[in-house]
């Protein structure tokens, strides 16, 4: 899952053998143009999303065609009003999930990723990540949105990491880790893991004690406090210092809230240096 972040086909209709594959330029242009019509939009979303791995040039074509990104954005925004109600249907969720799959295609391509970030399009996914509804239609949207964000962090693009930190992706991921399905929790954890591999991500967690501490205290893997894990850091002064800062900040928040924890005390790490 984490290696490619391709979302499971079970999210959508069964299209393991597409009946209308997109091969030639004319066919691609037809289905992209079909996104502009209310009568053909649903079918176009399905056909294009199921062929996004086949057509490697699909992302630039989607981005550079007039009105296409706006059409996808309109599809995504159209379900906002139903997120806090039981009125979100599986049909509507599937349509939006297909639109999000095309967003993922754009986010993954090196020629369109920067424009995708510059337009701040990931922000339109955050409402799906902040909902705590566990029903299947909401979970579809949560998982596909996480897939888009996961694609961004997988690129190891510092600009993408910076954008996600500035827009507070951590709380969104922690919410998904709390209420999402097992697969959503895995993808959300992968996103946080990839961000923490970057220095800016570590600083984000370590500089302010109250930033994300509540969620990290509950969700931080227990092996962070396991001696078998920490013994592997012996002699790595930078890693030990960062881990010590992280645990110190979490402990500081713990002392203020009196919540249970099972982690090594920060001072216990000093013997590793």
């Amino acid at each position: 899952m984490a290696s490619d972040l391709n979302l499971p086909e079970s999210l959508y209709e069964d299209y393991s053998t597409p009946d209308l594959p997109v091969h030639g330029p004319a066919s691609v242009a037809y289905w992209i143009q079909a996104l502009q019509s209310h009568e053909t939009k649903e079918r176009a979303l399905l056909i294009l999303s199921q062929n996004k791995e086949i057509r490697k040039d699909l992302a630039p074509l989607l981005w550079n065609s007039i009105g296409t990104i706006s059409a996808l954005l309109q599809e995504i925004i159209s379900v906002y009003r139903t997120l806090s109600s039981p009125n979100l249907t599986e049909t509507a969720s599937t349509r939006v999930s297909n639109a999000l799959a095309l967003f993922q295609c754009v986010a993954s391509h090196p020629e369109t990723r920067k424009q995708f970030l510059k337009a701040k399009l990931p922000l339109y996914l955050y409402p799906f990540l902040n909902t705590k509804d566990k029903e299947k239609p909401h979970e579809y949207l949560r998982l596909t949105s996480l897939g888009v964000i996961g694609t961004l962090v997988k690129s190891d693009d510092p600009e993408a990491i910076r954008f996600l930190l500035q827009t507070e992706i951590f709380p969104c991921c922690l919410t998904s880790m709390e209420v999402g399905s097992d697969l959503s929790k895995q993808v959300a954890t992968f996103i946080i893991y990839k961000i923490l591999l970057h220095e800016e991500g570590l600083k984000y967690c370590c500089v302010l004690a109250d930033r994300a501490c509540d969620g990290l205290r509950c969700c931080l893997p227990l092996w962070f406090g396991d001696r078998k894990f920490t013994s592997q850091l012996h002699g790595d002064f930078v890693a030990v210092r960062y881990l010590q800062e992280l645990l110190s900040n979490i402990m500081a928040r713990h002392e203020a809230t009196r919540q249970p924890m099972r982690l090594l005390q920060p001072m216990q790490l000093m013997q590793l240096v």
Side-chain angles (χ1 to χ4, degrees):
M1 180 277 306
S3 62
D4 54 14
L5 285 172
N6 289 325
L7 299 176
E9 293 181 354
S10 59
L11 257 67
Y12 316 110
E13 299 177 22
D14 182 9
Y15 49 74
S16 54
T17 54
D19 56 343
L20 289 173
V22 175
H23 291 307
S27 180
V28 174
Y30 171 81
W31 288 113
I32 290 178
Q33 183 62 34
L35 292 171
Q36 309 294 333
S37 170
H38 178 74
E39 289 74 19
T40 57
K41 189 175 185 179
E42 182 175 4
R43 186 62 174 164
L45 287 169
L46 175 62
I47 294 296
L48 290 171
S49 65
Q50 66 183 326
N51 283 276
K52 66 185 178 71
E53 299 297 331
I54 300 174
R55 290 299 305 249
K56 301 303 182 182
D57 60 343
L58 181 57
L61 292 173
L62 289 170
W63 186 263
N64 294 313
S65 56
I66 297 175
T68 298
I69 298 300
S70 295
L72 296 177
L73 198 54
Q74 289 171 3
E75 189 70 32
I76 291 169
I77 294 174
S78 68
V79 297
Y80 279 2
R81 64 182 183 277
T82 62
L83 289 179
S84 58
S85 72
N87 298 327
L88 178 63
T89 64
E90 289 196 28
T91 299
S93 178
T94 298
R95 283 183 57 139
V96 175
S97 294
N98 287 332
L100 290 170
L102 296 181
F103 262 24
Q104 183 181 11
C105 177
V106 174
S108 67
H109 200 286
E111 293 182 19
T112 54
R113 185 184 306 118
K114 290 188 183 298
Q115 295 97 314
F116 184 77
L117 292 171
K118 187 175 181 180
K120 300 183 178 180
L121 292 178
L123 293 179
Y124 293 94
L125 282 57
Y126 287 14
F128 303 137
L129 300 178
N130 286 324
T131 179
K132 295 191 175 182
D133 197 305
K134 298 183 180 182
E135 295 299 317
K136 185 180 292 186
H138 294 80
E139 177 59 28
Y140 286 176
L141 298 178
R142 179 182 297 113
L143 183 55
T144 46
S145 297
L146 286 169
V148 178
I149 304 300
T151 294
L152 289 173
V153 299
K154 180 190 171 189
S155 69
D156 289 321
D157 184 341
E159 185 177 340
I161 300 298
R162 194 174 303 114
F163 174 88
L164 294 173
L165 289 174
Q166 291 172 348
T167 55
E168 302 289 338
I169 189 60
F170 260 71
C172 295
C173 287
L174 294 175
T175 298
S176 296
M177 292 167 69
E178 177 187 354
V179 303
S181 66
D182 288 344
L183 187 53
S184 285
K185 291 176 180 178
Q186 291 177 37
V187 181
T189 303
F190 172 78
I191 292 169
I192 290 181
Y193 163 74
K194 291 292 288 185
I195 291 176
L196 289 176
L197 290 179
H198 288 254
E199 185 175 357
E200 287 190 55
L202 281 172
K203 287 181 178 178
Y204 176 91
C205 289
C206 296
V207 170
L208 297 178
D210 60 345
R211 176 176 285 171
C213 281
D214 287 335
L216 285 173
R217 188 184 64 252
C218 299
C219 303
L220 200 69
L222 291 178
W223 47 261
F224 265 37
D226 187 275
R227 291 184 181 278
K228 290 183 179 179
F229 168 74
T230 55
S231 65
Q232 302 301 313
L233 303 179
H234 182 73
D236 191 333
F237 303 104
V238 175
V240 171
R241 177 167 59 85
Y242 277 135
L243 182 57
Q244 186 176 11
E245 289 180 8
L246 178 61
L247 296 183
S248 294
N249 288 334
I250 294 176
M251 286 297 297
R253 183 65 175 174
H254 161 62
E255 292 299 324
T257 58
R258 299 296 179 183
Q259 296 291 331
M261 288 188 65
R262 290 191 298 167
L263 289 172
L264 285 178
Q265 296 293 325
M267 290 302 296
Q268 293 178 278
L269 296 173
M270 292 300 295
Q271 59 185 313
L272 298 176
V273 179

